Amino acid sequence: QVQLVESGGGLVQPGGSLSLSCVASGSIARLNVMDWYRQAPGKERILIGRIGSSGRVDYEDFVKDRATISRDNAKNTIYLRMDKVTPEDTAVYFCGGDVLTTLGTFAYYWGPGTQVTVSS
């Protein structure tokens, strides 16, 4: 079994930065492509960006100049930093990704999400 757990959410001042982590644990042989998504109130979940196992990152246009996604394969952890946040960045942030388990199976897993609220 594999678990993904996000952390680092909370209240962020407008113009500030958010920093989130996502730790994967369990029967993991390898983390492949890992994603960050977010879901604002009343809206669909949307992709922020994804990072491949080699570290290559692709960002969606709406965050391209403000977001940084990174990973530490030794710690089975991925990170999201977003700068110059506005109230429109208020959302539940999710990590997800393709995981090769120790049983030799591939599956996509989601974390439960972490709430980020941007407000003064």
Side-chain angles (χ1 to χ4, degrees):
Q1 193 169 358
V2 173
Q3 299 83 36
L4 303 182
V5 179
E6 305 90 343
S7 62
L11 183 65
V12 184
Q13 296 283 327
S17 300
L18 65 87
S19 294
L20 305 179
S21 300
C22 172
V23 178
S25 62
S27 304
I28 298 169
R30 185 178 71 242
L31 299 181
N32 295 321
V33 176
M34 300 297 293
D35 304 323
W36 281 103
Y37 280 78
R38 75 182 190 187
Q39 186 167 17
K43 296 187 178 180
E44 295 184 350
R45 191 175 300 189
I46 59 173
L47 180 67
I48 297 170
R50 56 180 31 132
I51 183 167
S53 56
S54 64
R56 171 180 168 153
V57 186
D58 292 304
Y59 299 99
E60 293 298 293
D61 286 342
F62 76 96
V63 294
K64 187 166 286 187
D65 296 328
R66 299 192 296 127
T68 302
I69 296 174
S70 59
R71 66 191 293 162
D72 185 334
N73 290 331
K75 296 181 179 180
N76 284 337
T77 301
I78 62 169
Y79 304 94
L80 170 67
R81 176 184 172 92
M82 191 178 298
D83 299 320
K84 302 177 184 177
V85 296
T86 72
E88 287 67 40
D89 293 312
T90 294
V92 180
Y93 285 72
F94 299 89
C95 68
D98 283 316
V99 180
L100 173 63
T101 73
T102 53
L103 297 178
T105 58
F106 283 95
Y108 194 94
Y109 293 88
W110 288 101
T114 185
Q115 174 71 48
V116 174
T117 302
V118 182
S119 175
S120 55

